[in-house]
Amino acid sequence: MLQGQRGADGLSSFLDKSLPELFGAGRQVQPVLTLYKNDNDMTLEYLQEQLNNSLDHFVSLGEVLNVSYSKLWPTERGMLMYSLLMAGRRLGSLMAEAHRLQKKFITDVTGLELIEARGRLMNLMSYLDQGECDLDIAYSPSEHSEPIFDPGEIVSEENLGNLFPAKEQSRDYVNARRLLIESSRINYAELDECIKKVNGRIDDLLADAKSLKRNKEQRVVRYEAMENHYMKTLWREDREQLIVRVRGELQDEDNKGKDEMQIMQALHQDILSEYTVGNDNKTLALINMNRSDKEACAKLMAEGRDSLSCYDMMDHFRFRESDKLLANHMNSRYLLMPCEEYQGKLFCNKAAYELAKLMHSAIAAYVGFDKKLNAAFLFAAMRDLGLIFDEENNATLMADFIKDEYGEDTSADTITKPLRKCAGKKFCMLDENNTRDFTTKEIEKYKDPYWRCFSIINKVLDIGDLECADYLRELHPTIAANDVFDELDENDKKRLYFLASVLRGETLIT
């Protein structure tokens, strides 16, 4: 079962209700999208319900006022006008919130037929104008008498008609009734402005929907806003729930006799099927099929927004990240297998080997091999940071790797000779205060190329708790100040950092 997480701000969290299954069947029960940080605050579902109810209430009340206005007593007119103003304020506040939230979604957040809603509001306000609701309240005691406009006199005349019992002719009641009558025209003016703002926001929402279908850049920005919201507020708990499900599958008696990869592949395939070809919402299924193409997903969302909800969008990101997590886990298991190249005695695993190859351009640009000794410090840095085996006699294999991948001729002796003076210590532990068999001058000479190699590798690996000399706790200034991997294309860069996350153990589920 996938559940959402209580978030901290803005559009804060999805809280899934009881979901029958982790995937697939979970789409049958909508989660609850909360808009603020507290459990009791408004949900998107509640906002949509309140918007619809508020619109209906406002129009119904306005129609009562319109039909009955000329037949009502002045106090009734003032009360109804004030009630309509309050209803308009509530509708305006809810529409303002929806307008704000729409900036975070491609799909519609209001749950209203916006054109129809605007038409209802415009028609009502037109009727109210025609019914002279925008004028001061007047009262004619009889058919042939002159109208009275003074609120105090109007209240006195109303009292003569015995509509109000003695207790409601007290000063407080009289003052309240006078205020309602006196402020009616002002209240109507405020109401008119309020509804104009509501209609303006509806126009903005309609224009936004049209713009999203035409403007690729705007779609992508909005897609990223949804993505950021999901990753910030929902993915952590969804990930935890997925891990629970995976562990359950691994321990399931029905899977007895299968290895981990077989179980993971079967689960992954089930999820792919349920969210794509098995998805009842064909628009969402198509979006899920294109999950790796941000622009394509955003375009499909904009074009199919009439058949998609905000919940569908979060469902998409849940699937995308879950799919990625499972795929990365299986890929990581493979990459952490022993590396067979170089007799299986050089690199600790396949990920380390691939990472070392991708760092070629950075090593060439920021270290180089114009000084043959630099090969020794590259070897030492890779060994100290756990890419190559420490206990193997593998300097010859390292020389072969440098020739194969970096195109530089070197020898095992060139690599091992400078490192012999480490006297059993890792080079990363040495500095001017701990030179072992090196002279201080040698340490000063060798420290810079080693620091560059170490920094290039650790700029990717980002190992913060490694035992080392103090100077290595900061990146070499040249390495820190530059994008040392700028010669790699985007795919290779992504691969480089993925390999680093594999080596840190971040991509494994169990």
Side-chain angles (χ1 to χ4, degrees):
M1 178 175 65
L2 279 180
Q3 287 185 309
Q5 176 189 3
R6 293 187 178 94
D9 50 24
L11 263 170
S12 62
S13 71
F14 262 106
L15 296 174
D16 283 350
K17 296 177 181 176
S18 176
L19 304 184
E21 293 290 337
L22 179 63
F23 298 98
R27 292 191 296 275
Q28 298 172 6
V29 180
Q30 285 190 341
V32 179
L33 178 57
T34 61
L35 309 180
Y36 304 103
K37 62 184 178 181
N38 298 321
D39 291 348
N40 295 326
D41 282 330
M42 188 183 296
T43 66
L44 179 60
E45 187 178 56
Y46 182 75
L47 172 64
Q48 292 176 345
E49 179 183 355
Q50 289 303 301
L51 257 177
N52 187 69
N53 291 342
S54 181
L55 176 64
D56 287 344
H57 172 67
F58 178 81
V59 173
S60 297
L61 186 61
E63 288 173 346
V64 169
L65 181 62
N66 177 52
V67 171
S68 307
Y69 193 74
S70 62
K71 306 176 184 67
L72 299 175
W73 284 78
T75 294
E76 290 179 282
R77 295 183 193 179
M79 291 175 61
L80 272 176
M81 183 59 70
Y82 186 64
S83 295
L84 190 60
L85 173 59
M86 293 302 297
R89 287 173 179 168
R90 179 167 55 251
L91 177 60
S93 175
L94 291 167
M95 189 59 74
E97 179 64 8
H99 187 266
R100 182 186 69 82
L101 293 176
Q102 189 63 72
K103 296 175 183 177
K104 299 176 181 290
F105 284 89
I106 292 177
T107 44
D108 170 63
V109 302
T110 68
L112 298 175
E113 292 292 337
L114 292 174
I115 295 177
E116 178 187 338
R118 183 181 58 182
R120 294 175 70 189
L121 293 172
M122 292 177 70
N123 288 338
L124 175 61
M125 295 308 294
S126 177
Y127 290 141
L128 294 178
D129 282 344
Q130 294 169 20
E132 300 183 346
C133 294
D134 58 334
L135 301 179
D136 285 324
I137 292 177
Y139 176 63
S140 298
S142 65
E143 183 179 352
H144 302 293
S145 62
E146 290 294 323
I148 300 172
F149 289 92
D150 181 79
E153 290 185 40
I154 291 175
V155 170
S156 296
E157 288 292 332
E158 283 185 325
N159 289 343
L160 293 175
N162 296 318
L163 281 177
F164 299 91
K167 69 174 183 178
E168 293 180 15
Q169 297 185 31
S170 65
R171 179 181 299 176
D172 289 341
Y173 272 101
V174 167
N175 288 340
R177 289 161 57 197
R178 286 177 59 188
L179 182 61
L180 288 171
I181 293 169
E182 182 179 332
S183 59
S184 180
R185 183 164 62 89
I186 297 172
N187 288 342
Y188 182 83
E190 182 183 339
L191 172 66
D192 188 51
E193 286 301 312
C194 179
I195 299 306
K196 284 178 180 176
K197 286 183 180 179
V198 170
N199 282 329
R201 288 197 165 98
I202 290 176
D203 288 341
D204 288 346
L205 292 170
L206 291 169
D208 181 70
K210 185 180 294 184
S211 180
L212 284 169
K213 292 181 180 180
R214 298 176 178 178
N215 190 316
K216 179 177 71 175
E217 289 74 21
Q218 183 181 356
R219 287 196 301 266
V220 171
V221 168
R222 198 72 61 85
Y223 180 91
E224 290 173 346
M226 293 188 296
E227 178 181 49
N228 290 338
H229 165 66
Y230 176 78
M231 295 304 296
K232 182 179 179 181
T233 63
L234 308 178
W235 171 235
R236 181 178 178 181
E237 189 166 337
D238 283 351
R239 184 182 187 276
E240 291 173 357
Q241 293 298 328
L242 177 55
I243 291 172
V244 169
R245 174 65 184 272
V246 168
R247 288 173 177 165
E249 291 290 332
L250 293 174
Q251 297 169 7
D252 195 327
E253 283 295 320
D254 292 342
N255 290 322
K256 192 172 182 179
K258 300 178 183 177
D259 62 30
E260 178 187 320
M261 291 300 287
Q262 289 175 318
I263 297 170
M264 296 290 289
Q265 286 170 352
L267 175 60
H268 190 214
Q269 188 57 50
D270 286 345
I271 293 170
L272 289 174
S273 298
E274 290 165 0
Y275 270 80
T276 54
V277 296
N279 197 321
D280 293 336
N281 187 328
K282 298 308 176 186
T283 302
L284 183 57
L286 187 58
I287 292 169
N288 288 340
M289 289 178 188
N290 287 273
R291 60 194 174 280
S292 60
D293 188 337
K294 183 183 300 185
E295 290 185 6
C297 285
K299 186 172 186 291
L300 289 165
M301 288 174 184
E303 291 175 346
R305 74 195 310 262
D306 292 340
S307 62
L308 296 169
S309 69
C310 297
Y311 305 105
D312 291 329
M313 298 303 88
M314 297 302 103
D315 199 46
H316 162 69
F317 290 115
R318 179 182 292 113
F319 162 64
R320 190 194 70 179
E321 293 304 312
S322 299
D323 166 53
K324 187 190 301 182
L325 181 66
L326 293 173
N328 284 349
H329 174 84
M330 291 185 286
N331 196 9
S332 298
R333 284 292 192 218
Y334 170 78
L335 288 168
L336 292 172
M337 292 173 62
C339 176
E340 297 176 359
E341 284 75 6
Y342 301 99
Q343 303 176 26
K345 297 181 179 180
L346 183 59
F347 291 99
C348 295
N349 49 52
K350 295 179 182 292
Y353 173 51
E354 190 176 343
L355 186 81
K357 291 194 293 182
L358 285 172
M359 290 191 298
H360 172 203
S361 61
I363 297 295
Y366 292 91
V367 182
F369 294 96
D370 52 330
K371 295 180 179 179
K372 297 295 184 182
L373 287 177
N374 289 352
F377 303 115
L378 175 61
F379 175 74
M382 285 187 175
R383 185 172 60 187
D384 293 346
L385 285 165
L387 297 184
I388 60 179
F389 289 115
D390 187 23
E391 67 276 9
E392 299 285 348
N393 183 14
N394 48 19
T396 300
L397 299 173
M398 184 65 181
D400 292 340
F401 169 77
I402 291 174
K403 182 176 182 180
D404 294 342
E405 299 298 334
Y406 293 8
E408 299 288 341
D409 285 319
T410 187
S411 66
D413 188 61
T414 302
I415 292 173
T416 58
K417 187 174 181 180
L419 300 179
R420 290 170 189 160
K421 292 187 177 183
C422 290
K425 275 281 187 181
K426 293 182 178 181
F427 196 91
C428 66
M429 299 298 297
L430 308 183
D431 57 19
E432 291 82 356
N433 299 316
N434 182 15
T435 62
R436 303 298 279 183
D437 292 343
F438 290 104
T439 65
T440 301
K441 187 175 181 179
E442 285 175 325
I443 286 291
E444 291 176 350
K445 176 183 176 182
Y446 297 154
K447 188 172 80 170
D448 188 74
Y450 177 82
W451 191 7
R452 287 171 180 262
C453 292
F454 188 96
S455 293
I456 289 170
I457 300 169
N458 208 33
K459 192 167 188 176
V460 181
L461 289 182
D462 194 23
I463 302 174
D465 57 353
L466 184 71
E467 188 178 3
C468 61
D470 287 343
Y471 77 95
L472 293 170
R473 299 192 185 282
E474 302 288 338
L475 295 178
H476 189 285
T478 302
I479 307 305
N482 292 281
D483 178 6
V484 296
F485 303 109
D486 60 352
E487 291 190 17
L488 295 177
D489 62 33
E490 284 304 309
N491 288 334
D492 281 343
K493 275 188 182 181
K494 288 179 181 178
R495 183 65 174 176
L496 182 76
Y497 285 99
F498 171 69
L499 291 167
S501 64
V502 170
L503 291 168
R504 289 192 298 270
E506 295 173 352
T507 55
L508 293 175
I509 292 178
T510 56

